[in-house]
Amino acid sequence: GLQVTSNGSNVSLRGATKAHTTYTITVSGEVRDEFGQTLGKRQTLRWEVGAARPTFFGPEGMVVLDPSGKRPTLDYFSVNYTGLRVQLYQVGPDDYAPFVAAMQRRWDRKDPPTIPGAKVFDQVVPTTKGKDELVESAVDLSAALGKGGLGHVIAVVEPSPWTEKHDPPRKYTWVQSTHLGLDAYVDGEDVVGFVSDLATGVAAEGVALRLTPGDAQAQTAAGGLATF
């Protein structure tokens, strides 16, 4: 994944370096500056990469799972953490507004917000082995989903063990496991919903829709459209 970029008199090399590795670069003596002058002779530079810095990242916000997946999972990536602390909350559509409100206050330490729904899983899940290497961990969401692996889940995931004084890089994700894709179009008078099959893209007829908050309801016609 090497990328070489120049900026003024600087040349930068970026890529997925490996820990405990010595890298060597040779610059050709034929390199010319803006006046046509060459470097004159080859220049060799070396630098060493030490231990990898502990790192953690993954999905946040709203996620819709791929319906073709063999099992409902979220993928997280980490370096030099032996586990991930995973909390799963079983929720429904009416819990989404409280979830948004909780996320707006997530940094309030004096009065921390309550995550809506029922907590059904709270464990440290081990990551795959690989010291100083980026590893991918698939977090299974089945414990918080309903029949057929469908439903809504709030996943709260952070690296473990966490020894710093400040809060860990905690990821909050609202996950939908569904066979249906939903889009909404809004103008000054109407809300038009369009529902399709996530796997095929085919418009879905006869799907009941509800606007929340509130109780306005409609059902999709043959083209997958419903108007409020």
Side-chain angles (χ1 to χ4, degrees):
L2 175 65
Q3 293 182 334
V4 182
T5 58
S6 61
N7 182 18
S9 60
N10 296 317
V11 176
S12 299
L13 295 97
R14 300 178 183 274
T17 56
K18 292 186 177 182
H20 308 292
T21 302
T22 300
Y23 288 88
T24 302
I25 176 177
T26 299
V27 183
S28 169
E30 299 301 315
V31 171
R32 293 181 179 275
D33 66 12
E34 60 182 322
F35 304 105
Q37 303 168 115
T38 62
L39 186 60
K41 64 178 181 178
R42 293 191 306 171
Q43 299 287 333
T44 299
L45 306 170
R46 292 181 176 83
W47 74 94
E48 294 186 2
V49 177
R53 179 181 301 174
T55 306
F56 169 73
F57 59 95
E60 285 186 285
M62 171 78 76
V63 170
V64 179
L65 298 183
D66 185 343
S68 64
K70 294 182 179 179
R71 59 193 178 102
T73 61
L74 276 183
D75 291 342
Y76 295 85
F77 300 86
S78 61
V79 178
N80 286 345
Y81 287 109
T82 59
L84 302 177
R85 187 192 173 198
V86 178
Q87 299 177 70
L88 300 178
Y89 295 79
Q90 193 173 56
V91 289
D94 290 333
D95 293 312
Y96 186 69
F99 171 71
V100 173
M103 291 302 95
Q104 293 172 343
R105 295 180 47 245
R106 59 186 289 188
W107 307 115
D108 189 345
R109 292 189 174 184
K110 293 183 179 180
D111 184 21
T114 300
I115 303 298
K119 184 190 288 187
V120 296
F121 187 90
D122 188 350
Q123 296 182 26
V124 174
V125 177
T127 60
T128 56
K129 295 181 179 179
K131 182 175 175 56
D132 289 328
E133 295 181 359
L134 182 67
V135 297
E136 180 177 1
S137 301
V139 173
D140 193 342
L141 306 175
S142 301
L145 293 173
K147 185 178 180 180
L150 302 177
H152 302 257
V153 184
I154 295 174
V156 184
V157 182
E158 63 188 65
S160 178
W162 183 256
T163 59
E164 304 294 333
K165 293 182 179 180
H166 57 276
D167 289 342
R170 191 175 294 121
K171 303 297 183 183
Y172 295 85
T173 312
W174 180 287
V175 186
Q176 296 183 84
S177 178
T178 175
H179 292 158
L180 298 175
L182 174 64
D183 290 289
Y185 303 87
V186 184
D187 62 19
E189 297 180 351
D190 298 319
V191 177
V192 178
F194 172 65
V195 183
S196 60
D197 185 286
L198 269 183
T200 65
V202 175
E205 180 182 2
V207 178
L209 301 181
R210 177 170 65 92
L211 288 178
T212 181
D215 198 36
Q217 300 183 39
Q219 183 167 298
T220 59
L225 295 174
T227 302
F228 298 88

